[in-house]
Amino acid sequence: MTDVTNEPILRLHAPTPGDLAELLAGPDAHLLALADAAPAGGSGGGSGGCRLGVVAPNAKRLALARKVVGRGRPWRGRNEVWFSPAPLLADRPGGLAFVFPGLEAEFAPQVDDIAAWLGVAPPERNVATLGTHAASVLAVGRLLDAALRRLGIRPDATAGHSIGEWGAMFAGGILSGSAFDDLIGRGHLDDLRVPGLEFAALGCGVAPVAEAIAGRADVVISHENSTNQTVVCGPAPELAEIVDAFRARGVICQILPFRSGFHTPMLGPYVAPFRDSLLSLDLRAPAMPVWSATTAEPFPAQAGDIGRLCVRHMLEPVRFRGLVEQMHAAGIRVFVQAGPGQLGSLIDDTLRDSDHLTIAANSMHRSGLAQLRRLAVALWVEGGAPDFAALDADVAASAETAASAETAVPAEAVRPADVAISPVLARLHQLGTRVPAAAEFGALLSDLAESVVAVLEAAGAAPEPVAPPEPIRATDTTLHVSTSAMPYLLDHCLAAQRDGWPDETDRRPVVPATTTIWHMMRAAEQAAPGRTAIGVDDVVLHRWLVAAPAQDLAVRTRPVGVDRVHVSVGDFAEATVLLGNPEAAPSAWRPEPGEHTPTLSAADLYEQRWMFHGPGFQAVSACRAVADRSARADLTVPDAPGALLDGVGQVLGLWLIEREERWVAFPVRIARIRFHTAEPSPGTRLECTVRIRDIAPDAVEAEAQLTVSGRVVVSISGWHDRRFDGGGRLGDIHRFPQLSTLSEHQPGGWWLLADPWRGIAARELSLHKYLGAAERDEYNARPVRDRRRWLLQRVVVKDAVRGWMWDRGAGPLFPAEIAVVDTGTSRCTAVGQHGLHLPDLDIAVAHCGEIAAATVQEQGPTRNIIHIEEAKHAVTPANDPSTSVVRNPEGLPARQYLVRWADSAMTDQTPQRGSKEITP
C-alpha cells in the first residue's frame, strides 16, 4: 500500500489547451516550485477553461502531462496526472453525486488516518456476519461522507448499490445514521437470509440471462449491475448449472460468497421483523435528490412512500444500470464512490460512451488521506472547488510519512523562495523559455527578493513568530435540558394547552434548532479556550429535543483539523463549528423585483398563532416585503439563546404563510452559518432577508442575510426545512386546537375522520395536540402497525365529544382535556382531565382502512351503534337516513366505504343490510 503524506500537487489552468501547453513549456524546476501554491495560470481560472493536476510531480510525470495536454483529450488519473479540456462541473450546477457501495467479497478500507484527521474513532470493520459486514460498510461510508464535506465537497445527489442505498439515505437526509445503527444493532439483518440460496455474477447483459432463466421459478435476476454484469439468485445446484452453461459460451462467471436472498421475492417470508423496525424509524423528506436503485428514480418526499420503497428495496432487483443511466440523463457527470471496491467499474461500464468521471474516496492500495488528496485533485480539474488547506491541516499528526524515491520532489529542486512564488513571477519564468530577457529579469527579481529578506532579517525586522493556538481538546460534558434550567423554553411549546395546565409534558416544550446550535458553539469554545466560534457547517437535526420530562444529554466535541470542532448533542443533533476570526462579509442583497407588503403584520403572526412562539422567541418586529422567492422583515434580538437565528426561520415561515398552503415547517439541516461580526446582543434591531433556493411539496431550501445599516453581520446558506400540511383543518388544529377539530360533523349527527397525515412525523405533530401523557404512553406501547388505527379512533371520539359539548354551550376545549377509555368492542367512555367535568356519555366508534367514525349521546336506555365496511364495488345509498357512502379524499387510496349507524331511538342492533338499503 502506497502511503505518502503531504505529497505536493501541481495545479495549472488556462483558457485553452494551447495556453496550458505554453505554461508547461518552462523548465521542470519552475513548475516544481509551483507545487502546492495557488493554482497558476491565466484568465481561465474560473470553473471553465481547462485544468491540469499532477500529484507528486517529477520529471517523468511532467513529461507525461505535456503529452496529455498536447493531445487535448481528457486524462483522468493514470500515472497521477489529471487533465480536462472542458471541466465536467464547469457551469453545470447539480452535477456531482456521492454513490455508496454495497457488500463486496474484499473489504479492506484504509480509513484509520482519516478518522484521526477528523478526530473520531475509526469505524469497526467486521465481516463475520451479514449484519456486521453491512454495519461496517455503512459506517465507513458515513465516515467518508464526513471527510468529503470537511473538504468542502458536497453532493448534489446521492445513490447507492444494494445496502449502499441506506448510506445514500443517511447522506441525503432521509434517515439519521444513529437511528439506523440502533436498528442494525438489534441483529435483524442477520435474520434476512433464505436457506439454500446463492448468488452468481455473470459477465454479460441482462437480456441473455433473462432468456436463460425463463421458465425457472426458483432462479431470478437480483441485480442488473451494468451493461456487462448481471447477478442471479437461486438454489446452489440450479446456479451451478446456469454458471456452467454460460462459461461454455465464454462468459466469465463467479459464485459470490453472500447467501441471503436479498433483492428477491424469496426473502418475503423472512423480512417482517426488519421491515417493522425500519418502518418505525423517523423517515424524513430528502434534503437533495436521493436516487433509488429499485425504481431508477429519486426517492419520494412523503414518509409513507419512502417506507414502502424501502420494503420494495429488499424484495425487488437492483436496477443499478438503469439508475446510472437516469442519473447521467438528469445531469450528473461526476460520481464519487464513498467507499472502496469495484462499484466505479460498474458505472464506467454503463457510461463507457458518455463523458463522466468516476473516482473512489477510498482505496485498498494507498492510505485514506492519500486517496482523498487524489480525489480533491480530480474534482478540482473537473471544475470543483475542494478545500486543499483543510486536507493539509494536521495531516502530519494523523498519517504516516512514507515518501517513495519515485514520487518525492528532490529537496534541491525547490528553493524556499520558490515555494511562495507569485503568479506574476511564475509567468515571467515561463516566458523566459522563449524570451531570454524575461528570464534574466525574473532571475534579477528573485535575487533582489532574497537580498531584501537577508537585510531585514539581519536588522531584526523579521516578524516575531506567532505562537500557534492551543490545540482543540476532545471533551465530553453533560447538558441538562429542562424548563427549570431553560425557562425560556416555556415560550417554545408545540402543543398549546389550557391556562394553568399542570402537566408540562403535554405542552411539549422543545429546544429550538437554533438554540441547539448556540449550545454547540459554546461547547466548541469550551474545547478551545480563548478562541471564538464564528461559524457552523453541516448542521443535522435528527429529531425533536424535548425538555419535558427533563433529560441529561452527552455533549461530545472532537477536533477536526486546527480550527474546526465536530460537536454532537446526544443523538439529537450534530454540526461542525468553525473557530477563528470572522470572515469578510459578503455584499448585501438588493431587494427582489415584484415585492409587495405582506398581508400579515408582525403582531398578526403571533396573535393569530401562525407562529406558536411565546414572547421569549418572538423575533419579528416588522414584516416588510414578500416576493415570488423572497421575504424581508425586521428582527429584534430576543433574550433567549439562539432566538436571533430562530427569527430567520420565522421569516422563512412568513414567506410560506403568504405563498403556500403547506406553511408549517421546521428545520432539519443547515449547510453553513457565518457570523461576520460579534453575535448581535439582545435588543439589537436587524433586517433579515430570506431567499428561496428550492421548494418541493415536503421541503424548502433557503438562504438568508442579517444586516445592520446595510452591512451583513450573519449569512446563512443551505437552510432546509421540512414542510407539513397547514391548510384546512390541520392548520386550524395547529393554531387553535381548543376551537378546532380534525374530524367533520356529518348529517345524521355522527363524526368522520379520514387519515389526514402524510407520514409519521406529521402524525406526531397532531398526536401531541390530542393526547395526554398517559394516552401517549398507550400509543407508544401499541404495535407500530396498529398505531394509526388507534389514533384515528381516539381523535374522532375526542372531536365528537367536544362537538357534543359545544352544541350544549361549552367554551373552548383542548383535546387533551378529554381522555378516552376503551370499554369493549367498538365502545368507549370519555373522562374529563384536570378539572373538566363530563356527563356520562354513550360513545360508539368504528374504523376501516383509512377512516374512523364515532357517535355520541348521553347515557340512556338505548345505545349508539356505528359500523363501517369497505365497498368493493361502486354503490349509491338508497333513501336510508342511517347509511352513508364515504369516499377517501384525494391523497389516500381510491376506496369507498359504507357507514351505518343507529340513533338513540333505535334498539341495540346493528342496522340490517340488504338490497333495500344499498343500490349497486
Side-chain angles (χ1 to χ4, degrees):
M1 180 184 72
T2 303
D3 186 7
V4 179
T5 302
N6 261 348
E7 299 161 295
I9 299 170
L10 173 66
R11 290 181 287 152
L12 300 175
H13 61 77
T16 69
D19 295 325
L20 191 56
E22 187 175 313
L23 291 176
L24 284 168
D28 286 359
H30 294 311
L31 294 170
L32 294 173
L34 293 173
D36 280 341
S43 61
S47 60
C50 58
R51 294 185 174 195
L52 172 77
V54 183
V55 176
N58 55 27
K60 180 179 178 181
R61 289 173 184 165
L62 290 176
L64 174 63
R66 292 182 181 106
K67 292 179 182 178
V68 165
V69 172
R71 295 184 186 123
R73 296 192 297 272
W75 186 275
R76 292 180 173 132
R78 280 181 291 165
N79 295 312
E80 308 286 26
V81 174
W82 281 263
F83 168 63
S84 182
L88 293 170
L89 298 176
D91 304 318
R92 185 187 292 276
L96 187 147
F98 288 0
V99 186
F100 292 80
L103 304 186
E104 296 190 18
E106 189 175 4
F107 178 64
Q110 305 299 319
V111 293
D112 286 354
D113 57 340
I114 296 176
W117 175 59
L118 292 175
V120 299
E124 182 178 1
R125 282 145 286 178
N126 183 346
V127 296
T129 70
L130 176 69
T132 60
H133 192 169
S136 298
V137 168
L138 293 170
V140 167
R142 287 166 54 201
L143 179 78
L144 293 173
D145 176 75
L148 291 167
R149 294 172 192 268
R150 174 69 180 88
L151 289 174
I153 302 167
R154 292 179 173 83
D156 301 304
T158 65
H161 182 273
S162 188
I163 68 155
E165 191 156 299
W166 296 331
M169 291 169 65
F170 305 150
I174 292 177
L175 190 62
S176 72
S178 58
F180 203 83
D181 281 346
D182 179 60
L183 180 68
I184 290 177
R186 300 173 197 169
H188 293 312
L189 269 179
D190 285 324
D191 298 330
L192 294 178
R193 180 174 299 169
V194 184
L197 293 187
E198 292 186 349
F199 292 101
L202 310 177
C204 61
V206 70
V209 178
E211 181 181 352
I213 67 173
R216 289 179 177 264
D218 50 358
V219 177
V220 297
I221 294 172
S222 60
H223 301 68
E224 184 187 356
N225 280 339
S226 70
T227 306
N228 292 293
Q229 190 184 93
T230 305
V231 177
V232 292
C233 179
E238 284 78 0
L239 280 197
E241 180 182 331
I242 292 171
V243 166
D244 289 343
F246 273 91
R247 283 176 175 164
R249 295 158 59 178
V251 176
I252 298 174
C253 304
Q254 180 184 7
I255 299 294
L256 300 178
F258 312 115
R259 293 171 175 82
S260 68
F262 218 76
H263 307 301
T264 76
M266 287 91 87
L267 189 67
Y270 302 85
V271 81
F274 187 81
R275 176 196 60 210
D276 293 344
S277 296
L278 178 64
L279 295 181
S280 71
L281 300 178
D282 181 16
L283 301 173
R284 305 162 182 169
M288 65 188 71
V290 178
W291 288 74
S292 165
T294 304
T295 62
E297 296 176 348
F299 266 78
Q302 299 178 16
D305 294 333
I306 293 172
R308 285 186 283 274
L309 184 53
C310 289
V311 175
R312 290 178 57 192
H313 173 68
M314 294 184 279
L315 303 175
E316 296 182 19
V318 173
R319 298 174 54 204
F320 194 70
R321 175 189 176 185
L323 168 74
V324 170
E325 290 173 338
Q326 291 301 313
M327 292 179 73
H328 191 271
I332 299 297
R333 293 295 180 270
V334 175
F335 297 82
V336 174
Q337 178 182 314
Q342 303 304 312
L343 185 62
S345 64
L346 301 180
I347 299 173
D348 290 337
D349 184 30
T350 298
L351 298 178
R352 62 175 59 205
D353 297 323
S354 302
D355 201 14
H356 73 285
L357 168 69
T358 301
I359 186 164
N362 198 254
S363 168
M364 292 180 284
H365 307 296
R366 62 173 58 91
S367 72
L369 289 171
Q371 182 62 19
L372 285 180
R373 202 169 190 82
R374 285 153 177 80
L375 181 143
V377 173
L379 295 187
W380 180 85
V381 166
E382 296 298 348
D387 185 354
F388 285 92
L391 185 60
D392 290 332
D394 289 345
V395 164
S398 59
E400 299 176 0
T401 301
S404 68
E406 176 189 1
T407 57
V409 178
E412 63 273 14
V414 183
R415 297 179 299 162
D418 287 334
V419 173
I421 191 168
S422 75
V424 174
L425 192 54
R427 181 67 172 155
L428 197 60
H429 286 317
Q430 291 151 11
L431 289 172
T433 61
R434 295 182 287 108
V435 184
E440 294 176 6
F441 188 53
L444 177 62
L445 289 178
S446 296
D447 291 341
L448 178 61
E450 291 180 357
S451 298
V452 171
V453 170
V455 170
L456 291 177
E457 288 179 341
E464 290 293 325
V466 178
E470 290 293 322
I472 301 170
R473 297 174 297 160
T475 63
D476 292 275
T477 57
T478 299
L479 177 65
H480 180 69
V481 178
S482 69
T483 56
S484 57
M486 304 173 179
Y488 48 82
L489 295 183
L490 293 173
D491 282 332
H492 201 265
C493 295
L494 294 182
Q497 301 295 348
R498 188 183 70 209
D499 288 345
W501 192 255
D503 189 343
E504 71 175 12
T505 67
D506 293 343
R507 297 184 60 191
R508 196 159 173 79
V510 299
V511 181
T514 55
T515 300
T516 303
I517 291 170
W518 184 90
H519 282 288
M520 290 194 285
M521 293 174 69
R522 304 293 82 79
E525 290 174 338
Q526 292 174 11
R531 301 168 73 177
T532 302
I534 55 96
V536 187
D537 288 342
D538 296 325
V539 180
V540 181
L541 305 158
H542 296 301
R543 55 194 179 98
W544 297 113
L545 177 46
V546 183
Q551 53 183 322
D552 290 321
L553 300 179
V555 179
R556 301 176 73 246
T557 68
R558 296 294 184 267
V560 183
V562 296
D563 59 358
R564 292 174 180 264
V565 189
H566 182 268
V567 185
S568 60
V569 178
D571 60 353
F572 293 89
E574 58 184 302
T576 300
V577 178
L578 177 64
L579 304 169
N581 297 317
E583 298 177 359
S587 300
W589 296 327
R590 294 183 177 182
E592 294 284 319
E595 285 189 341
H596 61 83
T597 302
T599 58
L600 296 174
S601 68
D604 293 338
L605 286 177
Y606 305 113
E607 292 172 2
Q608 297 178 19
R609 287 195 57 80
W610 295 100
M611 302 288 177
F612 62 87
H613 307 74
F617 285 93
Q618 291 177 358
V620 179
S621 48
C623 299
R624 294 298 183 190
V626 172
D628 286 347
R629 304 284 283 190
S630 66
R632 289 192 296 115
D634 289 352
L635 304 183
T636 301
V637 183
D639 290 329
L644 170 62
L645 295 187
D646 193 80
V648 175
Q650 294 172 36
V651 178
L652 173 55
L654 168 66
W655 185 87
L656 289 168
I657 293 164
E658 294 279 341
R659 306 283 305 185
E660 299 283 327
E661 182 174 332
R662 291 173 62 80
W663 56 268
V664 180
F666 298 96
V668 292
R669 296 164 67 95
I670 303 175
R672 189 177 189 272
I673 303 170
R674 289 294 182 271
F675 291 87
H676 302 289
T677 65
E679 188 171 347
S681 58
T684 303
R685 193 169 177 112
L686 310 91
E687 181 173 292
C688 175
T689 301
V690 170
R691 298 199 307 197
I692 308 304
R693 302 295 301 172
D694 191 25
I695 188 161
D698 287 314
V700 59
E701 178 186 354
E703 58 186 357
Q705 286 186 344
L706 295 171
T707 61
V708 175
S709 300
R711 182 188 176 193
V712 177
V713 297
V714 182
S715 60
I716 303 172
S717 60
W719 180 301
H720 293 266
D721 269 9
R722 182 172 183 179
R723 300 174 63 200
F724 299 88
D725 278 326
R729 293 176 177 273
L730 279 169
D732 294 341
I733 279 290
H734 187 74
R735 295 169 60 202
F736 298 108
Q738 73 275 32
L739 302 174
S740 309
T741 65
L742 285 178
S743 311
E744 296 186 59
H745 197 204
Q746 302 294 309
W750 57 284
W751 289 75
L752 172 69
L753 174 63
D755 185 352
W757 305 295
R758 296 187 184 183
I760 296 173
R763 189 193 305 169
E764 283 203 359
L765 275 180
S766 292
L767 76 83
H768 284 281
K769 292 176 172 58
Y770 268 88
L771 305 182
E775 290 177 309
R776 293 195 301 274
D777 290 342
E778 187 177 353
Y779 171 86
N780 291 326
R782 303 199 71 80
V784 172
R785 286 183 171 183
D786 190 45
R787 289 178 180 175
R788 181 177 71 168
R789 175 204 64 81
W790 186 92
L791 183 61
L792 285 171
Q793 289 188 321
R794 283 298 187 276
V795 169
V796 74
V797 167
K798 291 191 178 204
D799 287 347
V801 170
R802 291 190 300 145
W804 188 89
M805 295 284 288
W806 286 331
D807 288 344
R808 287 153 182 79
L813 282 174
F814 289 88
E817 294 185 76
I818 300 168
V820 179
V821 180
D822 291 326
T823 58
T825 303
S826 300
R827 309 209 67 80
C828 57
T829 60
V831 181
Q833 299 295 294
H834 301 304
L836 175 67
H837 173 72
L838 292 178
D840 291 335
L841 298 175
D842 176 41
I843 304 171
V845 62
H847 165 267
C848 184
E850 296 82 23
I851 71 168
T855 64
V856 176
Q857 67 176 17
E858 201 157 6
Q859 288 279 10
T862 60
R863 296 201 306 174
N864 275 333
I865 296 169
I866 196 162
H867 175 80
I868 308 174
E869 63 178 288
E870 182 178 354
K872 300 298 184 182
H873 305 287
V875 295
T876 56
N879 294 325
D880 186 344
S882 63
T883 301
S884 285
V885 176
V886 174
R887 291 175 176 82
N888 272 342
E890 185 179 354
L892 293 176
R895 284 196 270 265
Q896 60 180 357
Y897 302 92
L898 300 178
V899 182
R900 300 181 177 88
W901 68 95
D903 60 27
S904 59
M906 305 179 79
T907 59
D908 186 3
Q909 297 179 3
T910 301
Q912 298 297 309
R913 287 177 281 175
S915 59
K916 293 182 179 179
E917 292 184 322
I918 304 299
T919 302

